[in-house]
Amino acid sequence: MWGCRARDLLCLWEVRLAGFLGRRLLSSNAASGKSNARRCWNCGGSAAGVESGDGFFCEHCRALQPPDPTRDYFSLMNCHRSFRVDVMKLQHRYQQLQRLVHPDFFSQKSQTEKLFSEKHSTLVNDAYKTLQAPLSRGLYLLKLQGIEIPEGTDYGTDSRFLVEIMEINEKLAEAQSEAAMEEIESTVRAKQKEFTDSINRAFEQGDFEKAKEILMKMKYFSNIEEKIKLSKSPL
């Protein structure tokens, strides 16, 4: 009798110990970022099946999954988190992803997958547009570092630079010929190339304040570029 009682107590102790160790393991995984919370919304498949590959489809039932909110644009577009980006590879990745998640390919799917498809497609578009252009790419890199440039400020711009911008805008307003417009456009392109090279060096050196200062100046020249495009567009 006492032997049976002892065995019962031992089994109960082992069950409680296993439960305690299991909770410790889950807690440890959560602390280290190894969470099993991500499961397929459709079949409840394990996180491994959902997380493997690009994470767009469940490996068990092939249902499209919701976008991963922890994934940044660089990871989504298979790019290193760097200011220097291979634009051709970026374009190829964009086309590849749109062939996977574009809403046109989900017209016969469930409403849930249609919704996820729209969200994925929008996210891919935003990521591509952001990383394609040096200005938006640089601003996004700063944002990932917790640094943002408030709109409507003259951060990092000295009076001499502002005078330069004012003079270019005056020339643009007074330009009466195509040759005059091309001269202004050439000047702006050269400045943007100079800024792009300087920003790349700043990011490579981890000098985010310097990158922020130059990006602010680049924004001014980007505004001038937009004015040039508008002046060329037929009414």
Side-chain angles (χ1 to χ4, degrees):
M1 179 179 178
W2 283 107
C4 292
R5 178 64 175 169
R7 282 196 298 273
D8 290 343
L9 289 173
L10 180 60
C11 289
L12 179 61
W13 181 82
E14 288 176 342
V15 168
R16 288 180 176 176
L17 178 61
F20 171 74
L21 292 175
R23 287 193 296 273
R24 287 291 299 273
L25 179 60
L26 287 174
S27 175
S28 174
N29 284 345
S32 63
K34 299 176 182 177
S35 172
N36 291 329
R38 189 164 163 82
R39 288 183 171 272
C40 174
W41 63 271
N42 185 51
C43 71
S46 66
V50 175
E51 296 289 352
S52 61
D54 269 330
F56 289 104
F57 299 92
C58 172
E59 287 190 353
H60 302 288
C61 69
R62 299 307 299 164
L64 181 65
Q65 301 300 301
D68 182 353
T70 66
R71 197 172 193 180
D72 64 51
Y73 289 168
F74 289 96
S75 170
L76 178 63
M77 304 306 288
N78 269 0
C79 296
H80 293 296
R81 190 182 287 192
S82 166
F83 184 73
R84 193 186 296 276
V85 166
D86 187 324
V87 178
M88 293 301 293
K89 286 185 178 179
L90 182 68
Q91 185 178 23
H92 177 73
R93 173 67 171 172
Y94 168 74
Q95 293 168 344
Q96 176 192 44
L97 291 182
Q98 286 296 18
R99 285 194 292 268
L100 278 178
V101 300
H102 195 277
D104 287 350
F105 301 117
F106 290 84
S107 59
Q108 303 301 315
K109 298 291 186 176
S110 67
Q111 285 300 121
T112 301
E113 285 186 276
K114 287 179 183 177
L115 176 62
F116 290 158
S117 163
E118 291 170 2
K119 289 183 176 180
H120 276 296
S121 186
T122 299
L123 191 61
V124 169
N125 279 330
D126 290 345
Y128 177 64
K129 289 177 182 176
T130 299
L131 300 188
Q132 184 186 41
L135 175 59
S136 54
R137 182 166 68 244
L139 292 173
Y140 183 68
L141 269 172
L142 285 183
K143 186 177 180 180
L144 292 177
Q145 296 293 329
I147 304 171
E148 295 194 52
I149 300 175
E151 290 293 332
T153 66
D154 294 333
Y155 177 90
T157 52
D158 53 48
S159 57
R160 187 171 59 180
F161 175 79
L162 294 175
V163 168
E164 181 184 3
I165 293 296
M166 193 180 302
E167 289 175 349
I168 294 174
N169 276 313
E170 287 175 356
K171 287 181 181 179
L172 185 60
E174 295 169 359
Q176 299 295 319
S177 66
E178 187 175 335
M181 188 70 71
E182 286 180 356
E183 183 182 349
I184 297 169
E185 192 172 9
S186 177
T187 299
V188 172
R189 276 200 304 268
K191 290 295 292 187
Q192 292 290 58
K193 174 65 168 59
E194 178 186 327
F195 288 144
T196 299
D197 292 342
S198 298
I199 292 167
N200 185 58
R201 285 194 297 272
F203 275 116
E204 286 180 345
Q205 295 166 4
D207 191 344
F208 302 125
E209 280 302 311
K210 185 66 175 178
K212 183 177 179 180
E213 176 187 330
I214 304 170
L215 281 164
M216 187 68 247
K217 293 180 177 181
M218 182 179 265
K219 285 181 76 172
Y220 279 93
F221 276 88
S222 293
N223 289 336
I224 295 174
E225 284 180 321
E226 286 301 315
K227 291 177 183 178
I228 293 173
K229 287 179 184 177
L230 287 173
S231 68
K232 289 183 173 182
S233 301
L235 296 176

